[in-house]
Amino acid sequence: MEECSKELFARACKVIPGGVNSPVRACHNVQSSPLFIRRGQGSHLFDVDGNEYIDFVLSWGPMILGHNDPEVTAAIAQAANFGTSYGAPCQAEVDLACEVVETMPSLEMVRMVNSGTEATMSALRLARACTKRNKVLKFVGCYHGHADPFLAAAGSGLATFSIPGTPGVPACVVEDTLLAPYNDLEAVAALFTQYPEDIACVIVEPVACNMGLVLPKEGFLAGLRKLTRSYGALLIFDEVITGFRCALGGAQSRFGIDPDLTTMGKIIGGGLPVGAFGGKREYLEHIAPAGEVYQAGTLSGNPLAMAAGLATLRKLKTQDYATLERRTQDFARELESILKSKKVPVQVPTISSMFSIFFTDTPVKDFATAKTADQGLFTTFYKQMRAQGIYLAPSSFETGMLSFAHSSEDYTRTLEAAAKVHF
Ligand code: KE4
């Protein structure tokens, strides 16, 4: 007898903390329990209870081509026939590195790792080594993975659980982490004035996706570039979500900014565990064994993961990003007007193939304003949409994603479901 989601979750809770391998999947913030997924196909997920969903989470970003894309799955299967890991260089990692360097405008070199967390953790170490400075400036509500230095006030899961930092991170580790509100250039300038020679880097989500979707204000990213240049700090674009999604060349190509370092994840692995950090040669050549900054990983450059990433990026070069963006905009506009007709405060920001839903009329420009959104309304919306077969991110601090596999019928069905929600 196959176990249902509830039975699986009960068994999981006995052996896995919280029954999940990543907190946000537990759906605590929307008073729900997680669905256990049996399989994904295109824009749909199928849970173990026999239900089908239109998927707007897409594994938190990687599945921009949709689930079980034939080319990607075939590439993984073919690679698997040659073994799963060598712990030695293979052609696939060179091919993927070349593909990434060709695709992301600012990159001259790249190092593969196994997650976005590893990518940002390594990029921070590199920035500190290259500048011989210790302080890192990040933005409240931006999430850069769970490496200690970033958990001073992270977005994503931590924001959902409203934990300002987390136990287990020594105060000495986050005392070099400076915080500024997103979109607040004056606050950044003030920190540089206060610490003119101590800031190794500014790390930023060029489009913030971990406090819900918050777009950079006109001039914000260019202002960061100018300030970091003038104070000798490195600018790190955390493109773990925006890379290959905001545009094929990421947010840096969309906004025309030239960061010193870029971190990547999610799409770069086509659904398998891959992260990467890259940037100018003059910096990357400090990374061991070329240079003295130690960074390593048993499964970095894993042949199956590289094959999945390569198949994904090569296929993305043939996709029509402009049409996907237009469809996302139309969908978000329609969704916003349906929800407004229900006399609730709501805004549905969107950019490229991303959107989020804030139940507030306060213009959202940073984490403080994102937090004005009514979580109760979001929970009501989430539950009633899931009951109608629409799989949304279980938190208003996450970002909804669309894929090239989503069909016009998916959009129509989702909007019809939204029209039936009652608050
Ligand atoms: P991972 O270590 O989870 O691969 O990547 C960390 C990371 C780094 N930078 C950005 C901008 C990110 O969004 C992430 C991870 N994103 C979350 C979703 N918002 C992952 C979901 C989860 O934690 O389960």
Side-chain angles (χ1 to χ4, degrees), residues 222-236:
L224 291 181
R225 179 64 287 178
K226 192 159 172 260
L227 276 168
T228 46
R229 277 235 165 84
S230 57
Y231 282 92
L234 300 193
L235 178 60
I236 302 178

Side-chain angles (χ1 to χ4, degrees), residues 24-27 33-37 43-47 52-60 67 355 382 385-394 400-401 406 413-414:
V24 70
R25 302 179 197 170
C27 301
S33 54
L35 299 173
F36 279 66
I37 303 302
S43 56
H44 290 203
L45 285 176
F46 300 80
D47 70 11
E52 182 173 353
Y53 298 88
I54 301 171
D55 181 15
F56 290 100
V57 178
L58 297 178
S59 181
W60 308 98
H67 296 284
F355 69 97
Y382 171 85
M385 291 295 272
R386 191 166 111 170
Q388 298 182 78
I390 312 301
Y391 192 76
L392 299 171
M401 311 272 180
H406 279 79
R413 270 185 53 202
T414 304

Side-chain angles (χ1 to χ4, degrees), residues 24 28 43 60 62 95 108 116 120 125 147 170 177 181 194 206 220 235 254 263 274 300 319 322 326 338 367 407:
V24 70
H28 286 172
S43 56
W60 308 98
D95 292 343
E108 293 175 325
T120 57
R125 183 179 310 139
T177 304
Q194 192 179 355
F220 175 59
L235 178 60
R254 185 185 185 105
T263 55
V274 182
S300 300
Q319 300 302 303
R326 253 194 320 281
I338 289 170
F367 192 43
S407 65

Side-chain angles (χ1 to χ4, degrees), residues 22 24-25 60 115-118 120 143-146 156 205 209-210 238 240-241 266 398:
S22 199
V24 70
R25 302 179 197 170
W60 308 98
S115 69
T117 293
E118 271 190 83
T120 57
Y143 178 65
H144 303 293
H146 64 89
S156 187
E205 290 182 60
C209 305
N210 286 287
D238 180 351
V240 167
I241 288 185
K266 299 181 192 273
E398 297 293 348

